[in-house]
Amino acid sequence: MAAAAPSSARRMSHTQFIELLRRRASCPRHGEALHAWALKSGAASHAPVANSLINFYSSLPRPLLVAAFAVFDDIPPAARDVASWNSLLNPLSRHRPLDALSRFRSMLSSSTVLPSPHSFAAAFTAAARAASAPAGTAAHALACKIPSAVSNVYVCTSLLNMYCKLGIVSDARRVFDGMPQRNSFSWSTMVAGYAAEKCSEEAFDLFRLMLEECPSEKSEFVATAVLSAVSVPLGLLMGEQMHGLIVKDGLLDFVSVENSLVTMYAKAGCMGAAFHVFESSRERNSITWSAMITGYAQNGEADSAVSMFSQMHAAGFTPTEFTFVGVLNASSDLGALAVGKQAHSLMVKLGFEVQIYVKSALVDMYAKCGCIADAKEGFDQLYEVDIVLWTAMVSGHVQNGEHEEALTLYARMDKEGIIPSKSTIASGLRACAGIAALEPGKQLHTQIVKYGLGLGAPVGSALSTMYSKCGNLEDGMSVFRRIPDRDVIAWNSIISGFSQNGCGNGALDLFEEMKMEGTIPDNITFINILCACSHMGLVDRGWEYFSLMTKDYGLTPRLDHYACMVDILSRAGMLKEAKDFIESITIDHGTCLWRIVLGACRSLRDFDVGAYAGEQLMELGTGDSSAYILLSNIYSSQRKWNDVERVRHLMRLRGVNKDPGCSWVELNSRVHVFVVGEQQHPEAENINAQLRRLAKHMKDEGYHSSSKLSFDEELGPLAESHEEDQLEWISAAYS
């Protein structure tokens, strides 16, 4: 039994007891048996024996601090020496810093002992962990009165670490400069303090000073601290110099140094150099793999991050929480839901799901992959939701076209008193732009002013876009003119607004102004410009801009650019040229371009090109119901009933259904949505009555639906579809 101590224990001296307890420190049951002997024999009241018991309980893999407290409290106050207090303060400073500071104050109020250097070191450590600057500075002031404390390198290093952890680097440097002697830990602590405050140049200058004053202090600890300090985008040159020195001094044998090198190169965007260090590493660990995965994810190489994660798993390494954050971010960028779910399963198995930053990445992944229900489930499970998570959810709704849900969630966040970030505001503005909700957008504008968020990226561009998409070009332009340091995104937002609101000349003028300011246009800019040319029928200028993007700016045309050119030609009635242009395109364009031509043939009554475009769509297996209906109408107008039946049969065979029409209107700060065939609106009965009245009035006035093709005199069985089109038009007109 654990309580059965050897018979010789009755004759143990205190020294023998302490030595026996030290040898059996890893076994709680043996230690408890010895404690029982000490209580029974009365030895527990002696300070050396009690101190050894306190050390035993606090040094266990799972410290039993309650037992340590009990042992300490059983020591008669007069018998407690400084070692008794230190035995309790040291573990408390690591595990329960507030209790450590309380016990330190009790020690000072005691008249029997004075704090030793180790007492102050424990107090400084506790103040750093508790983030209590007042307690730390008070302990520092007291230590200055005791010469043995301020001259001790161990105490001064603890004090230095405290100021660095509290973010008071200037005071830390004063302590460092006043130290009578320093060791490698002192140097590395000061460098790490600069690193934490992003002071890379100061950290590197301090390292150079160390090389001049005491080059023998170079160690793996100093090297990792310096590499951490220079792990910023502009710190590559300093990092490369450190790499050379590390190789020269043989410090690459330390895996912590290799990991720091990988991280440094990754944060500088040099993934090739990071991979070279990774490949040459002889002793990789989970941190090495995590650094590579996170680096790839942060530098836009999501495919490589996912591949590296698979290799890590195959190599038998256990992922850390940072690994999961990296691979989840990569899955978000790729929209790779399957990979994200696999990472989620492994995360649950290893117990990392409860950590807030891992959960944030998980919610963001599900939201960006379109699984809003899963994202919401993870979101609702969190007790403390930070602004990053709120932003991820709002942004996820917007990306999935759920603009109303995004605004509802934003309103809930605002009600709970969460102050939005720039990204949150920008997502909310995109939601308003998506449904042309001007009033909510104006409310967000007032919050931008209220919280002093300014009109820098990404807020200014999102606000300008919101006003433009709501048809308020005047306010959109006003916001645009006040955006500081306008980038290509800001220019694209205002050019798009003018283009979409029928102000093509204004869009082209803005493009010329953009070039004069020296802003280089991107692919999105040219999409907006080509759209403006399309709306104004400027075929020649469209070709000119299409050639310009490749010739002057080295941009490769994408599907959207080809679609714009096809639209320009089609709107201008140049359907055969549009057909020839499509057939000259070498990239895979799916059904997009032929659908544009087919739509134009409806208005221009070009049966031959329309039938050709429609058959191309049928061959490609389009799922667009309107393509089947338009092609059927063309054939019915030509009385080709067999072809009509064939198209209708294909439509049924492929399970293609006509998407219901949808419209919405904002009234009294509320958005009302109407969908054909649904009767969920609370005023549906009154609305239907008004629709019937309007339909009768239109019929009495001799109105004929413009949605019908003028050449389909005999629609046959498809007349039903056109009747639905007419009802959609009426619904939209009423809304």
Side-chain angles (χ1 to χ4, degrees):
M1 295 291 291
S7 59
S8 59
R10 297 180 182 279
R11 299 186 297 275
M12 277 194 297
S13 67
H14 293 170
T15 303
Q16 290 173 324
F17 174 87
I18 294 170
E19 179 61 24
L20 183 60
L21 185 62
R22 185 187 64 80
R23 291 203 306 267
R24 299 187 177 184
S26 61
C27 181
R29 296 182 67 186
H30 290 168
E32 288 170 351
L34 289 170
H35 188 185
W37 173 85
L39 289 171
K40 186 174 181 180
S41 65
S45 61
H46 295 273
V49 173
N51 297 347
S52 65
L53 284 168
I54 295 172
N55 284 328
F56 161 73
Y57 282 120
S58 60
S59 301
L60 290 172
R62 291 185 178 180
L64 299 174
L65 295 179
V66 174
F69 286 156
V71 174
F72 179 84
D73 292 338
D74 285 343
I75 305 174
R80 296 172 187 163
D81 57 12
V82 69
S84 305
W85 287 97
N86 290 346
S87 298
L88 193 62
L89 290 175
N90 286 332
L92 285 179
S93 66
R94 297 189 301 272
H95 302 291
R96 293 167 63 171
L98 291 176
D99 287 338
L101 293 174
S102 176
R103 292 280 179 168
F104 182 71
R105 285 191 289 267
S106 299
M107 178 185 182
L108 297 178
S109 63
S110 171
S111 58
T112 56
V113 292
L114 287 175
S116 69
H118 283 80
S119 308
F120 284 108
F124 296 146
T125 301
R129 288 181 175 271
S132 177
T137 53
H140 183 189
L142 181 61
C144 291
K145 299 180 180 180
I146 304 176
S148 62
V150 292
S151 62
N152 186 295
V153 66
Y154 173 68
V155 175
C156 289
T157 303
S158 296
L159 178 61
L160 182 63
N161 177 69
M162 179 196 75
Y163 280 122
C164 289
K165 290 288 177 65
L166 292 173
I168 314 175
V169 182
S170 56
D171 286 352
R173 185 57 190 262
R174 278 194 287 271
V175 171
F176 179 83
D177 291 338
M179 291 177 67
Q181 56 179 334
R182 308 182 186 109
N183 57 21
S184 61
F185 295 105
S186 308
W187 289 97
S188 62
T189 299
M190 190 65 242
V191 171
Y194 279 130
E197 297 300 312
K198 310 298 183 186
C199 303
S200 54
E201 293 185 5
E202 291 85 345
F204 199 67
D205 290 341
L206 184 66
F207 177 69
R208 281 202 289 252
L209 178 64
M210 188 198 82
L211 294 180
E212 294 173 4
E213 293 187 0
C214 46
S216 61
E217 295 294 350
K218 285 183 294 185
S219 68
E220 70 274 20
F221 305 108
V222 178
T224 54
V226 176
L227 286 171
S228 176
V230 300
S231 293
V232 293
L234 298 178
L236 180 59
L237 180 60
M238 294 180 284
E240 289 175 333
Q241 294 177 46
M242 275 301 302
H243 191 177
L245 188 62
I246 286 167
V247 173
K248 177 183 175 183
D249 292 339
L251 295 175
L252 272 177
D253 293 334
F254 296 96
V255 68
S256 60
V257 176
E258 288 182 323
N259 294 344
S260 297
L261 277 171
V262 171
T263 301
M264 182 274 295
Y265 281 121
K267 288 191 175 181
C270 298
M271 290 309 300
F275 185 72
H276 177 74
V277 175
F278 175 83
E279 280 285 279
S280 61
S281 176
R282 291 188 293 271
E283 294 186 18
R284 300 173 193 159
N285 57 18
S286 294
I287 299 174
T288 321
W289 287 92
S290 297
M292 283 300 299
I293 292 169
T294 304
Y296 278 130
Q298 292 176 345
N299 284 283
E301 299 182 42
D303 286 318
S304 298
V306 171
S307 175
M308 185 68 72
F309 179 72
S310 299
Q311 294 176 42
M312 175 185 182
H313 190 59
F317 287 90
T318 302
T320 66
E321 59 270 35
F322 304 107
T323 318
F324 284 116
V325 171
V327 74
L328 287 172
N329 288 339
S331 301
S332 299
D333 294 339
L334 291 172
L337 180 61
V339 176
K341 284 187 172 182
Q342 291 170 17
H344 187 186
S345 300
L346 186 58
M347 184 196 322
V348 172
K349 181 179 178 181
L350 297 176
F352 288 118
E353 191 184 22
V354 296
Q355 298 187 8
I356 180 67
Y357 43 90
V358 178
K359 191 69 132 183
S360 299
L362 186 64
V363 169
D364 182 65
M365 183 276 295
Y366 277 123
K368 287 183 177 177
C369 290
C371 296
I372 293 295
D374 291 327
K376 189 174 185 304
E377 182 180 351
F379 180 81
D380 291 338
Q381 288 173 357
L382 292 169
Y383 295 105
E384 295 182 11
V385 182
D386 60 6
I387 188 60
V388 176
L389 269 177
W390 283 103
T391 304
M393 284 300 299
V394 174
S395 176
H397 280 300
V398 174
Q399 289 174 359
N400 287 282
E402 300 175 355
H403 304 297
E404 292 176 86
E405 290 82 352
L407 292 177
T408 300
L409 188 64
Y410 187 94
R412 174 183 156 194
M413 182 194 80
D414 189 46
K415 188 176 180 180
E416 292 186 14
I418 307 295
I419 297 177
S421 66
K422 291 183 177 181
S423 298
T424 324
I425 286 280
S427 296
L429 289 169
R430 292 188 189 102
C432 295
I435 55 174
L438 182 59
E439 287 305 316
K442 287 182 176 180
Q443 292 171 19
L444 290 177
H445 192 172
T446 62
Q447 288 196 336
I448 293 170
V449 176
K450 176 181 178 181
Y451 296 119
L453 298 177
L455 293 177
V459 175
S461 300
L463 184 60
S464 175
T465 300
M466 185 276 296
Y467 278 121
S468 299
K469 288 201 172 182
C470 290
N472 192 338
L473 287 179
E474 183 179 351
D475 285 344
M477 193 64 177
S478 174
V479 170
F480 172 76
R481 292 300 183 194
R482 289 184 285 121
I483 295 176
D485 303 321
R486 293 188 290 263
D487 58 8
V488 67
I489 298 175
W491 282 100
N492 287 344
S493 68
I494 193 65
I495 292 174
S496 173
F498 272 78
S499 175
Q500 292 177 2
N501 283 279
C503 301
N505 287 322
L508 298 182
D509 290 342
L510 283 167
F511 178 66
E512 297 302 323
E513 182 183 344
M514 171 187 178
K515 291 194 295 182
M516 289 179 61
E517 282 200 6
T519 304
I520 299 175
D522 62 6
N523 283 295
I524 305 298
T525 314
F526 280 100
I527 291 173
N528 293 327
I529 293 303
L530 292 174
C531 282
C533 292
S534 175
H535 293 155
M536 293 190 298
L538 302 177
V539 178
D540 292 337
R541 289 192 72 175
W543 279 119
E544 182 182 324
Y545 287 126
F546 186 76
S547 302
L548 184 71
M549 64 180 293
T550 304
K551 181 181 176 182
D552 290 5
Y553 297 102
L555 298 172
T556 302
R558 298 177 181 175
L559 179 58
D560 290 332
H561 302 104
Y562 288 116
C564 289
M565 286 307 304
V566 172
D567 192 51
I568 289 174
L569 295 171
S570 299
R571 283 174 182 262
M574 304 169 67
L575 294 174
K576 287 184 172 56
E577 289 82 352
K579 169 180 168 291
D580 294 339
F581 178 68
I582 294 174
E583 292 180 334
S584 70
I585 296 171
T586 56
I587 68 169
D588 180 17
H589 51 80
T591 63
C592 170
L593 305 185
W594 290 117
R595 178 63 185 83
I596 296 172
V597 173
L598 180 59
C601 291
R602 171 187 182 179
S603 302
L604 299 172
R605 296 188 294 176
D606 190 321
F607 302 158
D608 294 335
V609 176
Y612 183 84
E615 289 297 342
Q616 293 296 316
L617 290 169
M618 297 303 107
E619 186 178 333
L620 292 169
T622 179
D624 183 2
S625 61
S626 62
Y628 292 89
I629 294 172
L630 288 173
L631 183 58
S632 296
N633 290 342
I634 288 175
Y635 283 135
S636 65
S637 68
Q638 297 175 319
R639 301 182 182 278
K640 296 181 179 180
W641 304 116
N642 290 335
D643 288 326
V644 170
E645 182 57 34
R646 176 175 57 84
V647 172
R648 294 181 68 239
H649 177 71
L650 272 176
M651 187 174 181
R652 289 194 302 269
L653 186 66
R654 293 171 178 173
V656 178
N657 296 311
K658 191 176 187 306
D659 295 327
C662 177
S663 62
W664 58 87
V665 63
E666 181 186 346
L667 185 63
N668 296 330
S669 301
R670 182 183 171 191
V671 177
H672 300 263
V673 180
F674 302 94
V675 179
V676 169
E678 291 188 4
Q679 299 291 322
Q680 297 178 355
H681 195 279
E683 296 292 331
E685 186 175 344
N686 293 332
I687 291 172
N688 287 331
Q690 291 296 325
L691 283 174
R692 286 190 292 270
R693 185 183 65 81
L694 282 173
K696 183 178 183 302
H697 182 63
M698 292 164 68
K699 185 177 180 181
D700 293 342
E701 292 289 329
Y703 170 79
H704 296 286
S705 172
S706 60
S707 66
K708 288 188 180 184
L709 287 169
S710 58
F711 52 77
D712 64 345
E713 297 177 359
E714 296 186 33
L715 294 178
L718 289 173
E720 209 173 280
S721 299
H722 290 288
E723 185 178 346
E724 184 181 353
D725 286 341
Q726 181 175 343
L727 288 176
E728 284 183 38
W729 188 93
I730 297 172
S731 176
Y734 177 79
S735 300

